[in-house]
Structure formats: C-alpha cells, structure tokens
Amino acid sequence: MSFSPLTQRLIESLTCLPGVGPKSAQRMALHLLDRDRVGAQKLADTLQLAIDKIGRCQRCRNFSEAPVCHTCSQMSRDPGLLCVVETPADVIAIDQSGSFRGFYFLLLGHLSPIDGIGPEEIGADLLDKRLAEGEVTELVIATGTTVEGEATAHYLSEMARRHGVVASRIAHGVPMGGDLEYVDSNTLTLALQGRRVIE
Amino acid sequence: MANTDLGYLLHSRPYRDSSVICDFLLEHHGRASLLYRGVRKAGKQGAKGRLLQPFSPLAVTFDGRNELKTGRLLEPAGAPVFLVGRQLYSGLYVNELLVRLLHKEEPASDLFRYYQNVITELRNGQLEATLRRFERILLAELGYELSLQWDVHGQPLQVDQLYLYEPDQGFLPVATQSIDPGLRQRCFTGQHLLAINRHAYDDQAVALAAKKLSRQALAPHLGDKPLRSRELFKQSAQ
C-alpha cells in the first residue's frame, strides 16, 4: 500500500528538517492530517508568512522581518561593544547569560578556505563598514574554538586593528562544575596558556 | 579488518545530524576519507569530535573497503599544536593544497614526514621558506618535479639569462631584447632560479621569484578554481 501522491509529497517535504528521516516524517504527516488539522493550518500559514517576510537585519545579519532587528534597535545597549558570533543560536546563548550588554554581528559561518568560504561569505565587508563608522570601541570575538574559528578570529582582529578598535577573544577553558580529569588535553592546554594571576 | 595509523586531519565537514566526514593525511595509507559517526554532540559523546582538529597528531583506527572508510577509535598521538595568526593561514593553505591535489589512497610516507616538519616549522614562525619547500616537495610527489638546474634543451641554467617557465616542459631561454613587458613579468632570471634551487630565500627578490614560480607551477594542477586560503593573506599584506 502506498500513500496518495499529495500525502507522499508532504512526507517527502518534511524530511528537509534536521533529524527527520522518512519514518518520522510519515508520523508527522499522519499526525497533522489525522489529529491536528488546526495546528497544521497554523503551521502552514506561519511558514508561508515567515518565508515571505523574514530576511536579514542590515546591522547584524540576524533573521528579522524589519530592516533593523529588535536587538539592534534596543537603545539600552552599549554601542561601543560589538560581539561577533557565528550563528543566531550563539546570540541567544550569549544574551541569556546576561553578562553582555552590547550589540552583535553574525558571520553565519566561519572562514573555511577548503569549503570555499572566504571573507566575502562571512560578511567581512559589512563588518568593515560598521567598524569604519567609529562607534565601536571593542570588538568581542566569540567564534568557535575550532581551527577555522581561530583563523576567523585572527582575520577579524587584523580588521579591528586597521580601524583602531580593540579586539578581544572570549576565554577558552575548563567548564564550570567540571572535574579536571575529564577535561580533554586540548582544552587543558588552552586553559593553562590562558591562566591568570589571582588578585 | 581494522587498520591503525597515525594521521593529521586536513579537513572535516558535517554529515547528517551528528557525523563528520574527515579528510586525513595518514602515515601509511596516504590521503583517506574517514566517516566518524555520532561525534558532533555536546558532552561526553562529543569528546571524540572535539579531538578532530587539524595540525595535531591523531592515532586513528578505521575499516571498510570503499573510498569512504568508517572511523573507529580516535586518540591524540602527541601534544596538541595550536597555530596562530599567519602560521594558521599558512597551515590552512598547506591543507587546501593537499586536499585539492593529492590523490586518495596512495601511500605518501615521505610527504607525511615532511608534513610533520612543516607544522613544526610553521610553529617556529618560518613561513615563506617552509611553504616554498613544501610546494616543491608536493609537486615532486605528484610527479611534476621542477628541475632547477637545466633548461628545456638540457643546457645548464645561466646566471644572466632570462627564462620562461613552460608547464610540463621546463625553463625556456628567451632573448632579453625581443620581449614585451607583459611577458617579461612572467620570466625568471637564471640567477634567481639557481638561488631557488638552493632554497636561499633570504634575498627578498629570490623569495618573490620563488612565490611566482610556485604559483605558475601549481596553476595547471589547480584548474580554474582559485585557492581560497590566499585571500586570507591579502588583508595582512595591507
């Protein structure tokens, strides 16, 4: 037995979601059609609206339906601090920590020459313009702790230096509440390299 | 049957939800693609995935007969190496060259040993000379060794003669008078070529000529897709 062509198409469309294979897609499709038609209608409408309306914020490159996103419009933030992150999820993570009150800039990836991702693809020209405006005094670089993240950080720090902006890199080290014996050697090496005098 | 080898990660890319396809340079198996499943996770399960970084020696175990092998064990095989700044750009350039040019599954033990040296030398900050030597060794490994002593006619290179590099042939002597400025740009003096042969890059003019020669010699093998890691250096030069 096979599903009707449209049901089959719905199942196949759902497999574009991360973590969803044919089996879970089938379960989702049947659930929407059988049990929750109202929810399905809402999902379809919202999805259509989101795809039509949501673009990139002109300031930070985060998702936004307005030309300048909500975060970039908040007057309470410190305009001198600009934090560079790789993904929208990183913005949420840093903002929820409550310890950063500046603005953000999203690279939407990191420099990776072999994958064909160069300065242009990570929005380097837009960041260059932002730094040239002269409002930013410190560029906080919060790219990943991978080799590519490190190369990106260096690239951005050189750019900051050209504009006379201080570039800082978030610390790498031992996670809170962790035992040292379970920390991998790479992290320990970085933690030791970045040790601080106790004042 | 499981194989155990020592290797360096050249490049990795995510595959499905939590797996990674890794391009390795292995001591006994040459360049190989290994699939590590379920390593892109938070916490303990992702510990293996966090080891998968370039420039640090890794002990790998893998099996499979297809081009894509299945990675099993993964352990650090020495102290981690952290390249910084231009060292890192240079390392990424070396890795990009290997991924683009080196054929898969052809043992390249000499190249592997030289790659280990390259990382050490980059760490010590000798960038230009290290890269030029590496490019020469890579070309030789690919079967396109540069002969920097003889011209295309089998005559020894002359110090005061101009030469044009012809891929697949060698150095063609050209007459100094009859040459247009555009072509002159692409030529090398015999003096520079002989200095490049001795890896005497202390002279700035020789270092520049060596860079020009490497680009010309690598270009036919890279095709029309440019090396992206070169873009990183551009800003530093500004």
Side-chain angles (χ1 to χ4, degrees):
Chain A
M1 187 225 135
S2 67
F3 292 107
S4 70
L6 196 56
T7 317
Q8 194 59 43
R9 211 169 97 190
L10 175 63
I11 294 172
E12 278 163 22
S13 305
L14 285 166
T15 54
C16 76
L17 292 166
V20 177
K23 199 77 191 170
S24 1
Q26 183 184 317
R27 218 171 60 231
M28 288 176 183
L30 293 180
H31 176 85
L32 290 173
L33 293 173
D34 191 24
R35 304 269 170 87
D36 197 0
R37 293 237 168 192
V38 177
Q41 186 60 54
K42 200 174 148 199
L43 177 66
D45 293 345
T46 317
L47 200 57
Q48 188 59 54
L49 204 63
I51 292 303
D52 287 344
K53 303 271 184 204
I54 298 179
R56 294 283 179 197
C57 167
Q58 291 168 0
R59 300 283 289 167
C60 70
R61 307 218 303 162
N62 204 343
F63 296 118
S64 168
E65 51 267 39
V68 174
C69 74
H70 177 65
T71 314
C72 288
S73 322
Q74 286 177 333
M75 302 302 282
S76 58
R77 292 180 181 266
D78 180 354
L81 280 176
L82 185 65
C83 181
V84 186
V85 294
E86 291 184 9
T87 66
D90 297 340
V91 174
I92 304 293
I94 294 181
D95 229 41
Q96 278 177 351
S97 76
S99 40
F100 180 77
R101 290 303 294 168
F103 289 97
Y104 296 94
F105 186 87
L106 280 86
L107 304 172
L108 305 170
H110 47 224
L111 291 175
S112 180
I114 298 177
D115 296 311
I117 302 173
E120 201 180 306
E121 283 77 11
I122 61 165
D125 46 347
L126 193 63
L127 183 62
D128 199 58
K129 276 191 206 131
R130 179 86 173 255
L131 294 178
E133 286 170 15
E135 211 173 15
V136 177
T137 51
E138 183 180 344
L139 191 70
V140 182
I141 302 171
T143 52
T145 56
T146 56
V147 159
E148 288 90 354
E150 213 51 56
T152 311
H154 182 73
Y155 188 87
L156 298 175
S157 70
E158 282 182 322
M159 185 188 274
R161 194 172 311 127
R162 270 195 290 127
H163 290 285
V165 172
V166 176
S168 57
R169 178 94 169 97
I170 57 165
H172 324 286
V174 182
M176 279 291 287
D179 281 322
L180 280 190
E181 67 172 305
Y182 298 120
V183 177
D184 66 281
S185 57
N186 289 9
T187 308
L188 263 184
T189 308
L190 285 174
L192 282 166
Q193 279 175 1
R195 67 186 184 275
R196 276 205 311 221
V197 175
I198 302 171
E199 288 171 24
Chain B
M1 199 194 84
N3 298 285
T4 303
D5 209 339
L6 179 67
Y8 288 88
L9 180 74
L10 298 176
H11 178 244
S12 66
R13 63 190 161 94
Y15 176 70
R16 294 214 176 142
D17 285 338
S18 60
S19 305
V20 186
I21 295 177
C22 304
D23 214 322
F24 270 98
L25 180 65
L26 299 170
E27 186 173 17
H28 302 295
H29 295 79
R31 201 184 129 213
S33 290
L34 267 57
L35 171 67
Y36 275 95
R37 285 182 210 276
V39 295
R40 280 195 303 132
K41 285 179 181 165
K44 235 173 188 175
Q45 284 177 300
K48 227 194 242 179
R50 287 191 290 276
L51 281 177
L52 285 169
Q53 292 295 323
F55 314 123
S56 295
L58 295 165
V60 297
T61 310
F62 59 94
D63 47 35
R65 259 173 262 153
N66 300 328
E67 193 187 321
L68 183 62
K69 320 276 183 217
T70 306
R72 302 286 180 201
L73 296 176
L74 182 71
E75 280 171 14
V81 176
F82 299 104
L83 298 179
V84 291
R86 289 176 69 88
Q87 302 170 356
L88 184 51
Y89 292 174
S90 307
L92 290 174
Y93 168 74
V94 167
N95 283 1
E96 190 178 10
L97 275 183
L98 286 171
V99 169
R100 289 280 295 277
L101 299 178
L102 194 63
H103 300 294
K104 278 191 184 167
E105 296 183 44
E106 284 178 16
S109 301
D110 291 341
L111 192 68
F112 178 85
R113 273 190 290 280
Y114 195 71
Y115 183 83
Q116 289 182 306
N117 280 346
V118 166
I119 292 174
T120 314
E121 282 171 26
L122 290 181
R123 191 78 199 86
N124 296 336
Q126 302 152 320
L127 306 184
E128 294 258 338
T130 306
L131 294 181
R132 296 297 91 80
R133 278 170 200 264
F134 175 77
E135 288 156 347
R136 284 266 293 282
I137 286 173
L138 180 62
L139 281 168
E141 182 74 33
L142 297 171
Y144 303 99
E145 188 163 9
L146 288 177
S147 155
L148 283 157
Q149 277 169 303
W150 314 95
D151 69 11
V152 286
H153 308 302
Q155 300 296 318
L157 294 181
Q158 300 298 321
V159 172
D160 47 6
Q161 171 72 47
L162 269 187
Y163 296 92
L164 190 63
Y165 175 70
E166 291 284 347
D168 297 333
Q169 292 181 44
F171 296 98
L172 187 72
V174 286
T176 319
Q177 307 87 344
S178 63
I179 196 167
D180 74 80
L183 200 59
R184 174 71 186 84
Q185 282 278 309
R186 289 182 48 219
C187 288
F188 301 91
T189 65
Q191 190 189 0
H192 285 166
L193 291 177
L194 291 166
I196 293 170
N197 194 36
R198 294 192 306 271
H199 294 292
Y201 304 120
D202 291 337
D203 183 345
Q204 194 60 33
V206 176
L208 277 174
K211 199 176 203 168
K212 190 167 82 174
L213 178 61
S214 287
R215 286 194 177 204
Q216 289 186 13
L218 287 167
H221 311 298
L222 289 168
D224 49 10
K225 213 174 125 201
L227 284 172
R228 298 300 298 264
S229 40
R230 279 182 189 154
E231 288 175 25
L232 300 178
F233 289 97
K234 278 185 195 154
Q235 182 179 253
S236 314
Q238 276 173 12

